[in-house]
């Protein structure tokens, strides 16, 4: 059984930095992972995704140049380094394992096979 758990959320001032970590267990070889977020009053959206080998990454336009995704197979972790944070980054951030589609331009979860964490809250004050 695949388990996914996020950590590292918290409160930060605009312009500050925060790193989220996702720890997984039981994830089969080759599966892509990603970070999604749900901002207040909006639907969940993809933020950044990465393939198994780290060769293909996706970033939403709103976070390009500010966020960096990475994964460590030795530790079974996925990280999201967030810099130059903005109040608009305030959201519940979710880790997703086993994505349906991943290219440089598209990151999409699967209703049937993607595993989700419970989320970690990020607040950015102006």
């Amino acid at each position: 059984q695949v388990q996914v758990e996020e950590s590292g959320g918290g409160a930060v001032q605009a312009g500050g930095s925060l790193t989220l970590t996702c720890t997984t267990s039981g994830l089969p070889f080759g599966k892509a992972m990603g970070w999604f977020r749900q901002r207040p009053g909006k639907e969940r959206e993809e933020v950044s995704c990465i393939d198994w080998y780290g060769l293909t990454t996706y970033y939403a336009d709103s976070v390009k140049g500010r966020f960096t995704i990475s994964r460590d197979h030795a530790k079974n972790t996925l990280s999201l380094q967030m810099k130059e944070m903005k109040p608009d980054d305030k959201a519940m951030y979710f880790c997703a394992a086993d994505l349906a589609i991943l290219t440089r331009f598209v990151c999409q979860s699967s209703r049937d096979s993607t595993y989700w964490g419970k989320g970690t809250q990020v607040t950015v004050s102006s």
Side-chain angles (χ1 to χ4, degrees), residues 49 55-61 64 101-107:
C49 304
L55 298 178
T56 299
T57 56
Y58 164 89
Y59 291 97
D61 288 342
K64 281 181 181 176
I101 300 173
L102 173 59
T103 71
R104 287 176 56 199
F105 309 104
V106 176
C107 172

Side-chain angles (χ1 to χ4, degrees), residues 40-61:
K42 298 187 177 182
E43 294 186 354
R44 188 162 59 188
E45 60 183 355
E46 59 278 9
V47 176
S48 182
C49 304
I50 188 169
D51 70 351
W52 180 266
Y53 298 102
L55 298 178
T56 299
T57 56
Y58 164 89
Y59 291 97
D61 288 342

Side-chain angles (χ1 to χ4, degrees), residues 69-82:
I69 193 170
S70 62
R71 63 193 300 179
D72 184 334
H73 291 297
K75 298 180 180 179
N76 291 326
T77 58
L78 175 74
S79 297
L80 185 67
Q81 294 180 308
M82 304 183 291

Side-chain angles (χ1 to χ4, degrees), residues 65-117:
R66 300 189 298 119
F67 290 11
T68 302
I69 193 170
S70 62
R71 63 193 300 179
D72 184 334
H73 291 297
K75 298 180 180 179
N76 291 326
T77 58
L78 175 74
S79 297
L80 185 67
Q81 294 180 308
M82 304 183 291
K83 300 180 180 179
E84 300 174 16
M85 296 187 70
K86 305 175 181 179
D88 203 38
D89 293 322
K90 173 184 176 179
M92 181 71 80
Y93 284 73
F94 298 90
C95 177
D98 193 1
L99 303 174
I101 300 173
L102 173 59
T103 71
R104 287 176 56 199
F105 309 104
V106 176
C107 172
Q108 186 173 324
S109 62
S110 168
R111 181 176 300 179
D112 298 324
S113 61
T114 296
Y115 298 91
W116 295 93

Side-chain angles (χ1 to χ4, degrees), residues 1-4 23-29 31 52 76 97-98 115:
Q1 182 178 357
V2 178
Q3 294 184 325
V4 180
T23 302
T24 64
S25 62
L27 185 64
F29 175 85
K31 303 301 183 181
W52 180 266
N76 291 326
D98 193 1
Y115 298 91

